[in-house]
Amino acid sequence: MKQCHYICAATETGWVNILDPDTLKIIKSWQAHTLSINDMDAQNNYLVTCGWSSRPHGPAMLDMLAKVFDLRKLTQLTPIAFPGGAAFVQMHPKMNTTSIIASQSGQVQVVDLMNPNTTNIHQARLSTFMLSLTLAPSGDAWALTDQENAVHLWGSRKKTHFSNYRNPTEFADEPDPLQPISLMSDVPLSSIGMPHYREKLLSAWPDDHIYEVGRVPAKIDPAVMKSMLPAPIGHCATNPRKKLRNEAEMTSLLPSNETKMIAPKFLSQKALDAENGDRPKRRVSETLEAFVDAALASSTKAEVPVMYRNVEIKYSKFGVDDFDFQYYNKTHYSGLETHITNSYLNPLLQLFKFTPLIRNLALHHTASNCTSEGCLLCEMGFLFDMLEKADGLSCQATNFLKAFGGIPEAGRLGMLEDIMPLSTLDGKIQIANRFLLEQIAFDSKRVFANDMKIEQTLRTNVQTNISCSHCNSETIRSGHVYYHDLDYSSSNALPSQLRTFSSVLTSSLQASPQIRAWCDRCRIYRQLTSQITFQSIAPVLVFNAGLEKYGEGKQLWARPGWLPEEIGILASKDGVTCYEGGQLSHRQSASREPIPVYELVGMVVDVNSGEHQKPHLVSLINVAISEKKPTLQNKWHLFNDFLVRETPTADALHFEPSWKMPVILIYQIKSARHAIDDGWKSCLDTRCLYENGIHPRRALQSPLSSVVPLDPSTEAPCRGVPVAIDSEFVALRAEEIEISATGEREVIRPTRLGLARVSVLRGAGMFQEIPFIDDHIAIREPIVDYLTKYSGLKPGDLDANRSTHALVTLKVAYKKLWLLLNLGVVFVGHGLPSDFRTMNIHVPKAQVMDTVDLFYIRARARKLSLRFLAFYLLHEDIQQDTHDSVEDARTALRLWYKYREFCDANILHEMLTEIYNAGRKFHFRPPSELPGGTAHATTRGARGLEGGTAILRVELGADRTGPETPPLQTPGTGMSGPTTPVGRRATGRESDYFESPLR
C-alpha cells in the first residue's frame, strides 16, 4: 500500500479483501477475477488488478480487462481494456493516476485511470514470455524480466535516474597491480613485504583453537617385533622389561615458558612446613616480584601481563580462611574477593571508594538513622568503612551485592549474573553504573528529603531545547544527568591528529542528536533535534566509554598518552569547551576567570585475557587523590579483585585494543583532592541501639535471657567498654564441589552462610552479662540447612509468620554492630574472626578479645574449644544439645575474666600449661563427650543478676580402658578445676576491666 488507509489482500479464488490496518478486520470484499489474481498495485486510493479467468470449454486465460477499484469510496470503477491479456501492473510513483499494464508477450500500455481512452502502447522485443515488471522509485525507467533470466531496461539514455537521490555511484578504487614475485629457492622470504596493521592478524590463531596432539609415537622396539605372535585380537609379544609395569613414554608437548600465576600454598601448609623446619626453595611464582617482572615491556605488547589475568580463590578443607590473600596484596589498600555472585561490580565499587566526594556522601548517609533494607548508599558506606579499617586485608562485598541483587530493577535491566550470565561485562557494568548513580541519589532522600549534597556532588543540571524542523516549534525542558556517554562519531569531521580526548569530550557533551518523537504542534511523529545547554557541571563527572557502540574509538585509545590526567571544562551559553595539556595551561594564563580543572581519579578497564580465560574487569585508580596527607605525586594502583599492586603511570594509562580497553572513567574537581571528611564519626545516630527487640512470648518463656535495652543516660557505649558477642548462622547455599578423574575433591564454591542470630552482652556495670542485643534476622532466601546442632535454630524461627522471636532485618542487626564498632567498644568472644568474616564486618585487632587466642600456646599447635575451656576453668558443661549465642557469649566473657585473673596473678603461662596437660588427658573434650562418661552441670542463678555457684560432677565409666583420669579437687567445694592464687573479682570500673588485658 502507498498512501492508502487500507490493506489490500488477494486470495487464491480471485477475491480482493480490504482490511482495516488497526483491527485487521475485513471491511469490503470484491471478486476481481473468477480464478486467481496474478498481480496488483495500489497508489493514491486506486487499486488495479490483473488476473485469470475461466473459459467454458478451454483452459484458463488472462483477463482482457484490468480491474480498477476506488479505495476511498470502496466502489468499482470502469475497467481498462487490454486485448493482449493483462498480466502485470504497476502504478507510477509520481503520476498519481497513471498505470502501466503489460502482457506476457511484452506488450506494454501506459494508461490514465481517469481517461482510459488515452493510451500509449509499446512492444518489448522478447524471445520468450515475460515474468515480471518493476518500476524504478524515480519513475524514469522500468525493467522487464523474461524466462531466459534476462533483464530488459526501458528509459531515456540521457536523464534516467533510478533513485530519488541523484548522487553518482561510488565505486571502489582499483588496487595497484601486484609486482610478480619469483618463487625460486634463492629468493629470500623477507623480500615479500607485509602491510602496516594495528589489529591482530587473522593468522594469529588463538589458543582455544589450537590443541595439543602430542608427538609422533615412538617406534616399536625391534625385540618386540621379533617375538610378536598373532592373537585373537591383534598380536602379542614378550615384554622386553625395559620399562616398569604400566609405564609409558610421555608424548605430550613440552610446557611453554609463559609466566603463569601459580596459586600460593595454603596457610595451614605453610604453618606445617614452618613447624617441621622445612624451608622450601624460593620460587619466583611465590613472590610479588613475579608481577613486577610481568609488566608491560612496550606499547605494542600483545600478551596479557600476569597481574591483569583472572585470579581465583582456592579452597582447602579449612575453607576460604586458609587461602593466602596477602600473597596477592602487599599494599595498605584492601581488595575484594570474587567467590560471590555479581562480584563483577568490585572494580566499580573500588573506584567509587577512592573518589573522596562519593566516599564522604556514603559514610555520612550511613551514619544517619536510615534503616531501609534496600538502601545501597548505606551498604556502600558500610563497605567503604570496612575497606579502610582492613588496611590491606582482603574484604568481600557480600552485604552490598546481596542488597543489589534484591532490587527488582536490577534483574529487569539484566545486571544480575544469575539471570543473564552470558551478556558482556562491559555493557553490563555500564548499565550498572547508570543504575547505581541514580539509585544512590534516590537513597539519599530516604532520610532527609531536602538534602542536596548528592545533587551538588554528582548531578549536572542541563537545559534541553527540542525543535521540530517542519513546524519550527521549540520546547525547553530542564533536567539533570548523573553520567555522560562518550560519542566518537561527532568528532569524525576533525583530522585524525586533532581528535584528542578533549575534542571527543566536547563533542559528546554538546552533541545534538536527532530523535524521532511526537511533535505537539504537528500532531504526528517527526524527526526532532535536541540541543543541550549546561546550567552547572557537577564536581564529579562519570563517563561511560561506550566502545561497544563505537569501534573506531579503540584506535584513539591505543595512542600513547591520549587519555589526559587533567582536563579543564568551561561551560557557557554558547556551549561546553574542554581543554587539556598545553592548551589548558595557555587558557588558564590567558583567561581572567578561573577554569575548573578536573583530575582523573581512575577507570574500570575491560581485560580480555583470551587464552582459555574469560574476560573480566579491573580498576586502575590514582590512590593519592583520596589520601589524607596532602601529596602532589600520583600513585596509580591496579585493583584486580583481591590482587592489588602499584603500577607506573605510563602502564596505567596505556591501552591495547586487543586486550585492555576502558569502560568507565571518573574525573573529580581538583580542588577536592584529599577532601576526606571523617566528621561522620562524631555524629553517629545511635537510636537503634536503645530499642527493645524482645518478643513478648519469648520474655515469658525465658526471662533470664530477656533483652534489657541500654540506658542512654548511664550505659552509652564508648571507647574501651567491653561487650561479649556471639552469633549463629544458617546455610543459604550448599557448597559446590568437583571431583576429578583421579578422585580428588576440589571445592569450587564454599557453603554460603547467612547471619541468623546475633547476641551482644554487657561486659561491665550493674547488668553485667545481660544481653542488650539478641536479634533474630528475617531471611527471605531459601534456607538449605538450619544447622540446628550448631545454631540452635529450627525451621520457623526465622519466619515472620511463625517465629516467637522479634525478627529484624539484616540491615538493622548489622548497623547495631557497625555502630558499636565505630563507638570503640571491645568485642569479647570465642572464634570471632570467622564470625566477623561471615557477618561481612572488619574489626581491628585492638578491639577484639578472642578467647581462642588468649588461651593458646603456639608451640602446641592446637586451639581449644569453648566447651572444653568452660568445663575446665568455669566448671560448666555448655552446648550439650545445641548452641545458644547468649550462653556462648556469656561463657566467653567469663573466660576473659579468668584470663585477667591469671594475668594479675602472673601465672598465665603455668595455667596454660596445666590446661593443655589436662586437655591431653580428656582428649580436649569435656567428659560428657567421652565414651562412657557423663557430666552433670547445674547453674543456679545467672551471673550479674543473682549470686550463684556451678556444680559439676564427672562420672567416668568403670569399663573404660586406658589410664583413669584423676579427679580435680577444689578446696572447700569439691569442685574440679584450677584456682587462682591471687584473684579479684572484676568490678564495673573501666580501669579495673582494662588494666591487665590491654597492658
Side-chain angles (χ1 to χ4, degrees):
M1 289 295 302
K2 302 174 183 177
Q3 299 183 6
C4 294
H5 298 286
Y6 302 107
I7 298 176
C8 301
T11 66
E12 296 179 352
T13 57
W15 286 78
V16 176
N17 294 329
I18 310 300
L19 307 179
D20 187 348
D22 297 328
T23 62
L24 297 182
K25 293 183 179 179
I26 299 178
I27 300 176
K28 181 78 174 180
S29 294
W30 166 49
Q31 187 174 14
H33 306 277
T34 58
L35 284 183
S36 64
I37 294 177
N38 191 65
D39 194 10
M40 71 177 185
D41 195 12
Q43 174 89 1
N44 283 350
N45 300 323
Y46 294 104
L47 173 68
V48 183
T49 65
C50 301
W52 298 82
S53 298
S54 60
R55 292 187 295 177
H57 304 286
M61 63 176 293
L62 289 168
D63 272 351
M64 297 182 183
L65 295 175
K67 303 300 180 66
V68 183
F69 193 78
D70 189 346
L71 297 176
R72 181 175 50 187
K73 299 180 180 180
L74 298 179
T75 59
Q76 184 176 354
L77 301 180
T78 304
I80 301 173
F82 195 84
F88 308 100
V89 62
Q90 287 283 300
M91 298 295 292
H92 199 280
K94 293 184 177 179
M95 301 177 183
N96 297 334
T97 60
T98 300
S99 176
I100 301 174
I101 305 173
S103 67
Q104 288 183 334
S105 61
Q107 181 180 352
V108 181
Q109 179 176 326
V110 181
V111 60
D112 188 357
L113 300 180
M114 297 292 100
N115 189 8
N117 297 325
T118 304
T119 61
N120 189 0
I121 301 176
H122 303 273
Q123 180 64 45
R125 297 179 181 179
L126 304 177
S127 58
T128 58
F129 287 109
M130 190 169 70
L131 297 181
S132 63
L133 168 68
T134 304
L135 264 72
S138 62
D140 294 342
W142 68 67
L144 313 174
T145 60
D146 57 17
Q147 290 182 336
E148 295 181 348
N149 297 327
V151 178
H152 303 266
L153 185 63
W154 283 64
S156 175
R157 294 180 178 272
K158 297 181 180 179
K159 59 177 182 179
T160 298
H161 295 279
F162 298 104
S163 62
N164 293 323
Y165 303 99
R166 302 182 179 182
N167 294 328
T169 304
E170 295 184 3
F171 297 95
D173 297 335
E174 296 184 2
D176 298 333
L178 300 176
Q179 298 295 330
I181 300 175
S182 176
L183 299 180
M184 303 301 293
S185 60
D186 56 345
V187 177
L189 294 177
S190 59
S191 61
I192 304 176
M194 289 290 291
H196 298 283
Y197 63 91
R198 292 180 179 270
E199 300 286 344
K200 183 181 292 187
L201 298 179
L202 293 177
S203 58
W205 289 87
D207 287 354
D208 55 348
H209 290 181
I210 302 175
Y211 303 94
E212 181 180 335
V213 297
R215 301 171 182 163
V216 178
K219 293 184 178 181
I220 301 177
D221 193 341
V224 175
M225 296 294 294
K226 290 180 181 180
S227 60
M228 188 173 295
L229 298 174
I233 300 178
H235 293 73
C236 62
T238 305
N239 189 354
R241 303 294 180 184
K242 294 184 178 180
K243 296 184 180 68
L244 299 177
R245 181 181 293 273
N246 297 327
E247 183 181 8
E249 181 181 359
M250 181 178 178
T251 59
S252 61
L253 298 177
L254 294 176
S256 62
N257 295 327
E258 181 184 4
T259 305
K260 294 184 178 180
M261 187 180 301
I262 303 176
K265 290 184 177 181
F266 291 112
L267 297 177
S268 58
Q269 183 63 36
K270 291 183 177 181
L272 184 61
D273 293 344
E275 180 183 353
N276 297 333
D278 297 338
R279 187 175 182 182
K281 295 182 180 180
R282 179 188 173 111
R283 297 183 299 172
V284 176
S285 60
E286 291 186 356
T287 61
L288 191 64
E289 286 76 8
F291 305 138
V292 180
D293 296 339
L296 289 171
S298 63
S299 60
T300 59
K301 184 171 182 178
E303 291 293 333
V304 181
V306 177
M307 59 186 177
Y308 282 93
R309 298 185 183 177
N310 297 81
V311 289
E312 297 180 358
I313 300 176
K314 300 296 182 181
Y315 305 97
S316 70
K317 62 181 180 180
F318 301 106
V320 70
D321 295 332
D322 200 22
F323 188 74
D324 187 9
F325 288 102
Q326 292 186 355
Y327 162 72
Y328 296 92
N329 185 7
K330 304 294 183 181
T331 68
H332 295 288
Y333 308 103
S334 299
L336 293 172
E337 299 173 15
T338 59
H339 62 282
I340 312 167
T341 305
N342 300 320
S343 59
Y344 75 93
L345 290 174
N346 287 348
L348 183 59
L349 295 176
Q350 291 279 18
L351 187 55
F352 285 165
K353 186 262 177 186
F354 284 97
T355 306
L357 296 182
I358 298 180
R359 176 254 184 203
N360 297 340
L361 281 174
L363 288 172
H364 276 276
H365 179 81
T366 306
S368 66
N369 194 34
C370 177
T371 56
S372 176
E373 187 177 4
C375 181
L376 292 184
L377 191 56
C378 278
E379 298 295 343
M380 199 175 289
F382 292 145
L383 178 62
F384 293 169
D385 184 51
M386 178 173 58
L387 288 171
E388 292 182 357
K389 286 182 170 62
D391 193 28
L393 299 179
S394 180
C395 299
Q396 49 186 346
T398 307
N399 291 350
F400 178 88
L401 297 179
K402 182 179 180 179
F404 174 78
I407 300 178
E409 289 80 0
R412 289 195 289 265
L413 293 175
M415 295 182 290
L416 304 183
E417 291 180 338
D418 294 340
I419 298 178
M420 297 187 66
L422 300 180
S423 56
T424 59
L425 287 179
D426 54 349
K428 185 184 295 184
I429 200 169
Q430 288 184 89
I431 297 175
N433 178 40
R434 303 184 188 105
F435 173 76
L436 288 178
L437 292 174
E438 294 175 353
Q439 184 66 30
I440 62 177
F442 171 76
D443 291 340
S444 66
K445 301 293 185 180
R446 292 178 184 265
V447 181
F448 305 105
N450 298 323
D451 187 9
M452 299 298 295
K453 293 181 180 178
I454 193 75
E455 285 79 2
Q456 297 171 358
T457 303
L458 295 175
R459 193 170 79 176
T460 297
N461 297 318
V462 298
Q463 179 178 292
T464 306
N465 298 339
I466 304 175
S467 59
C468 177
S469 58
H470 290 78
C471 62
N472 295 326
S473 63
E474 184 174 343
T475 304
I476 301 177
R477 297 177 182 176
S478 299
H480 57 269
V481 292
Y482 293 99
Y483 59 89
H484 308 272
D485 295 325
L486 295 183
D487 185 358
Y488 306 91
S489 60
S490 302
S491 61
N492 285 336
L494 296 175
S496 177
Q497 64 274 11
L498 297 181
R499 295 187 67 187
T500 60
F501 178 82
S502 58
S503 64
V504 172
L505 183 58
T506 300
S507 59
S508 301
L509 293 178
Q510 57 184 5
S512 301
Q514 291 189 352
I515 57 175
R516 186 171 180 81
W518 179 264
C519 179
D520 294 334
R521 179 176 295 182
C522 298
R523 307 298 297 173
I524 196 174
Y525 283 93
R526 294 289 191 185
Q527 202 74 14
L528 305 181
T529 303
S530 60
Q531 181 68 37
I532 298 177
T533 303
F534 285 81
Q535 304 295 323
S536 63
I537 299 181
V540 177
L541 297 177
V542 184
F543 299 101
N544 287 333
L547 292 176
E548 74 279 0
K549 296 187 295 184
Y550 305 98
E552 67 273 10
K554 293 184 178 181
Q555 301 303 327
L556 299 176
W557 287 97
R559 296 180 185 175
W562 192 75
L563 178 64
E565 292 190 76
E566 291 185 359
I567 57 173
I569 301 180
L570 185 61
S572 61
K573 296 181 180 180
D574 299 331
V576 178
T577 308
C578 304
Y579 306 93
E580 65 174 271
Q583 189 180 16
L584 175 61
S585 303
H586 175 72
R587 184 70 181 181
Q588 286 177 321
S589 59
S591 177
R592 296 181 179 179
E593 299 181 359
I595 299 178
V597 178
Y598 291 77
E599 57 182 347
L600 180 63
V601 177
M603 55 207 143
V604 177
V605 176
D606 181 21
V607 177
N608 187 6
S609 302
E611 293 79 5
H612 306 291
Q613 294 191 21
K614 59 182 180 181
H616 65 287
L617 301 170
V618 303
S619 55
L620 292 160
I621 303 174
N622 183 9
V623 299
I625 296 177
S626 59
E627 289 185 350
K628 297 181 180 180
K629 296 181 180 180
T631 176
L632 297 177
Q633 184 179 3
N634 293 333
K635 291 189 266 186
W636 284 89
H637 280 66
L638 167 69
F639 290 83
N640 184 3
D641 292 323
F642 52 84
L643 187 155
V644 183
R645 61 147 297 191
E646 189 173 0
T647 183
T649 303
D651 289 352
L653 302 182
H654 172 84
F655 302 97
E656 279 288 341
S658 59
W659 64 271
K660 179 187 176 185
M661 279 286 110
V663 181
I664 298 172
L665 300 95
I666 291 185
Y667 279 88
Q668 181 182 258
I669 195 75
K670 194 173 183 179
S671 58
R673 186 182 179 101
H674 311 299
I676 302 300
D677 183 8
D678 286 336
W680 58 272
K681 295 182 180 180
S682 59
C683 57
L684 294 172
D685 194 317
T686 61
R687 280 179 284 178
C688 64
L689 288 176
Y690 308 105
E691 297 175 356
N692 190 353
I694 190 67
H695 197 280
R697 282 180 289 176
R698 189 183 169 205
L700 296 176
Q701 296 172 359
S702 181
L704 295 181
S705 300
S706 299
V707 175
V708 178
L710 292 174
D711 186 353
S713 60
T714 59
E715 294 182 301
C718 59
R719 185 171 301 278
V721 172
V723 294
I725 184 173
D726 192 70
S727 55
E728 309 295 350
F729 305 94
V730 293
L732 302 179
R733 185 184 59 200
E735 69 176 3
E736 301 175 12
I737 63 173
E738 184 179 81
I739 300 178
S740 63
T742 59
E744 296 181 358
R745 180 178 181 273
E746 182 180 0
V747 178
I748 303 301
R749 184 169 289 184
T751 303
R752 183 163 69 90
L753 301 177
L755 181 64
R757 181 186 180 186
V758 59
S759 302
V760 184
L761 284 65
R762 297 169 175 83
M766 181 176 60
F767 295 101
Q768 181 178 313
E769 298 185 2
I770 300 302
F772 62 92
I773 294 176
D774 189 16
D775 290 338
H776 288 70
I777 287 82
I779 299 179
R780 300 178 181 177
E781 303 177 62
I783 299 177
V784 177
D785 190 354
Y786 279 85
L787 305 174
T788 303
K789 182 179 179 181
Y790 306 101
S791 66
L793 300 172
K794 300 177 182 179
D797 287 348
L798 306 180
D799 188 352
N801 299 323
R802 302 162 52 192
S803 178
T804 60
H805 310 285
L807 300 181
V808 299
T809 62
L810 177 64
K811 166 74 174 295
V812 173
Y814 186 92
K815 187 160 189 176
K816 292 179 182 179
L817 300 180
W818 184 77
L819 289 172
L820 292 174
L821 168 65
N822 286 281
L823 290 172
V825 304
V826 176
F827 294 95
V828 181
H830 191 84
L832 292 181
S834 60
D835 288 359
F836 288 150
R837 177 181 177 85
T838 309
M839 294 178 192
N840 197 25
I841 190 171
H842 181 86
V843 181
K845 292 182 179 180
Q847 291 180 246
V848 177
M849 287 294 167
D850 196 340
T851 53
V852 170
D853 298 327
L854 298 180
F855 296 95
Y856 174 60
I857 299 178
R858 184 176 297 274
R860 299 295 181 96
R862 184 187 183 101
K863 295 186 177 182
L864 306 178
S865 67
L866 179 66
R867 188 175 184 185
F868 175 75
L869 290 173
F871 153 72
Y872 189 77
L873 294 177
L874 304 178
H875 322 301
E876 298 177 2
D877 192 10
I878 64 173
Q879 303 174 354
Q880 296 184 21
D881 298 324
T882 60
H883 289 227
D884 183 86
S885 56
V886 174
E887 180 186 45
D888 292 349
R890 183 179 291 119
T891 302
L893 186 62
R894 293 176 179 177
L895 289 174
W896 182 53
Y897 298 152
K898 281 290 183 182
Y899 172 81
R900 294 176 55 239
E901 292 177 8
F902 296 156
C903 292
D904 292 343
N906 200 20
I907 59 170
L908 178 61
H909 180 72
E910 291 81 357
M911 294 306 301
L912 290 179
T913 305
E914 180 182 339
I915 294 172
Y916 272 90
N917 292 337
R920 295 182 59 185
K921 297 178 182 180
F922 287 99
H923 300 283
F924 295 96
R925 292 184 295 176
S928 58
E929 294 187 16
L930 299 176
T934 59
H936 308 280
T938 305
T939 303
R940 299 172 183 169
R943 189 169 186 175
L945 286 178
E946 299 178 6
T949 58
I951 303 175
L952 179 69
R953 183 172 72 253
V954 179
E955 298 178 358
L956 298 178
D959 57 345
R960 181 167 178 250
T961 60
E964 183 178 356
T965 304
L968 302 174
Q969 298 294 332
T970 300
T973 62
M975 295 172 53
S976 60
T979 59
T980 305
V982 181
R984 57 184 178 88
R985 179 165 181 167
T987 63
R989 291 177 296 175
E990 184 177 343
S991 59
D992 292 338
Y993 261 90
F994 287 92
E995 182 180 357
S996 294
L998 299 183
R999 265 191 304 209

